[in-house]
């Protein structure tokens, strides 16, 4: 009973309202043995679907709500509101405290809470922030994120940040899209036994039973390239429109960072190499 109630509540939260539903239409008898799944395009409806053979019946399954390129407004409002609140929290805690952040949360260096240096006035100069307690510091920030409140979920001693969604926490891999069981191979890649979903099984599997495969993963050297400044901070690259309405990245020596006198550190992401000015420094 409790499990059923919780499952329904999980589907009834605001973010779930925007999920699209699918309708199934029987189109005839199955023409294949066992089961089969094939992607399809529904002419006139302007959306993708699937033709599925199962238990002797062939049917067409299509999403009957928004098109593939629609981004539900309810999700957009919730996500943007949360990110604005997260940005305010980051501003209050200060750059020296933040280690990593994602859509609705962040990892902070609790040892830096006692160092008032770069922290915002509202947090660093308060008596609660000065004592360095985590709960006190989060309470100080709460006034800037109302009605949302920060809460401490867990703590780690060792952290490796590869990208916003690729972290190693106390030796445990939290890499988006990569199973936690993945093992490192001699060539630097990772491999893991995976559990392909039903659609894959119907297209590529074996009618005699469930098929598992070994999947290989390769991590990019940098998932969030940016300008590394001489003071150790990372600045986001800028973009602009050209005369023919193309988007291009702005070379560093033409960026706002160079204009205000910031200098590049030695060594920049390879993806930005062509945009780095020839001379060292700002």
């Amino acid at each position: 009973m409790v499990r059923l109630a919780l499952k329904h509540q999980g589907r009834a939260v605001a973010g779930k309202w925007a999920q699209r539903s699918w309708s199934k239409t029987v189109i005839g008898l199955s023409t294949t043995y066992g089961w089969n799944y094939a992607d399809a395009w529904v002419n006139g409806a302007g959306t993708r679907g699937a033709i599925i053979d199962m238990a002797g019946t062939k049917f067409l399954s299509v999403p009957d709500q928004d098109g593939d390129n629609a981004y539900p407004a309810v999700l957009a409002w919730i996500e943007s509101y949360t990110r604005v609140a997260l940005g305010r929290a980051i501003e209050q805690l200060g750059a020296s405290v933040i280690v990593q952040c994602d859509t609705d949360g962040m990892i902070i260096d609790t040892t830096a809470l006692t160092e008032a240096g770069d922290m915002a006035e509202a947090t660093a100069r308060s008596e609660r922030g000065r004592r360095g307690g985590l709960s006190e510091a989060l309470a100080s920030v709460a006034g800037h994120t109302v009605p949302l409140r920060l809460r401490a979920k867990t703590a780690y001693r060792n952290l490796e940040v590869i990208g916003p969604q690729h972290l190693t926490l106390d030796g445990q891999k939290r890499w988006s899209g990569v199973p936690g069981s993945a093992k490192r191979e001699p060539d630097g890649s990772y491999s893991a036994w995976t559990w392909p979903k039903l659609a894959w099984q119907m297209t590529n599997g074996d009618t005699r039973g469930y098929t598992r495969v070994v999947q290989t993963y390769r991590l990019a050297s940098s998932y969030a390239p940016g300008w590394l400044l001489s003071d150790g901070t990372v600045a986001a690259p800028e973009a602009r429109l050209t005369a023919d309405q193309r988007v291009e990245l702005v070379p560093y020596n033409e960026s706002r960072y160079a204009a205000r006198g910031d200098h590049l550190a030695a060594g920049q992401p390879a993806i930005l190499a062509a945009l780095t000015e020839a001379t060292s420094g700002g």
Side-chain angles (χ1 to χ4, degrees):
M1 295 282 293
V2 173
R3 187 181 299 114
L4 290 173
L6 291 176
K7 189 172 184 179
H8 168 72
Q9 291 166 9
R11 291 173 173 172
V13 296
K16 294 291 185 179
W17 298 344
Q19 288 189 342
R20 295 153 57 193
S21 59
W22 293 64
S23 61
K24 296 186 289 293
T25 303
V26 175
I27 57 178
L29 297 176
S30 177
T31 55
T32 63
Y33 175 77
W35 62 17
N36 187 64
Y37 176 98
D39 288 322
W41 177 260
V42 183
N43 191 27
T47 187
R48 293 172 58 188
I51 296 177
I52 301 172
D53 289 87
M54 181 178 288
T57 302
K58 182 186 294 290
F59 59 89
L60 174 66
S61 180
V62 297
D64 59 5
Q65 299 294 324
D66 297 316
D68 287 344
N69 295 323
Y71 193 70
V74 63
L75 280 185
W77 280 104
I78 293 172
E79 189 169 294
S80 60
Y81 189 94
T82 304
R83 288 183 173 180
V84 169
L86 182 64
R88 291 173 179 168
I90 291 173
E91 290 177 354
Q92 293 303 310
L93 288 170
S96 63
V97 178
I98 308 301
V99 177
Q100 177 268 357
C101 73
D102 202 357
T103 302
D104 59 354
M106 57 187 168
I107 298 176
I108 65 175
D109 180 3
T110 55
T111 62
L113 290 176
T114 57
E115 303 169 4
D118 296 330
M119 296 174 68
E121 184 76 15
T123 301
R125 305 307 177 192
S126 69
E127 288 301 318
R128 291 181 298 179
R130 195 181 295 275
R131 292 201 301 270
L134 177 59
S135 59
E136 290 85 353
L138 298 185
S140 298
V141 175
H144 300 269
T145 61
V146 173
L148 303 180
R149 297 179 62 87
L150 291 174
R151 65 181 179 88
K153 295 179 65 176
T154 188
Y156 307 99
R157 289 184 176 274
N158 299 290
L159 169 67
E160 178 188 8
V161 180
I162 303 172
Q165 295 181 316
H166 293 76
L167 311 170
T168 302
L169 309 169
D170 285 342
Q172 298 295 316
K173 296 187 291 292
R174 300 283 184 86
W175 300 344
S176 178
V178 181
S181 60
K183 303 297 183 182
R184 186 179 178 88
E185 301 295 339
D187 63 355
S189 65
Y190 291 83
S191 63
W193 278 98
T194 59
W195 299 84
K197 295 182 179 180
L198 181 60
W200 186 96
Q201 297 289 339
M202 296 176 75
T203 305
N204 306 286
D206 192 319
T207 56
R208 295 173 298 176
Y210 192 91
T211 301
R212 294 189 66 187
V213 297
V214 176
Q215 181 71 37
T216 300
Y217 305 88
R218 293 186 181 275
L219 297 182
S221 58
S222 175
Y223 282 82
W227 300 115
L228 178 61
L229 305 182
S230 57
D231 63 358
T233 61
V234 178
E238 298 174 331
R240 63 189 176 194
L241 285 175
T242 62
D244 57 354
Q245 298 302 299
R246 291 184 300 102
V247 177
E248 68 175 9
L249 291 176
V250 178
Y252 183 80
N253 60 349
E254 300 177 29
S255 69
R256 58 178 171 172
Y257 312 114
R260 71 187 184 194
D262 292 335
H263 295 268
L264 287 174
Q268 297 294 322
I271 193 172
L272 298 176
L275 300 172
T276 305
E277 58 184 348
T279 58
S280 61

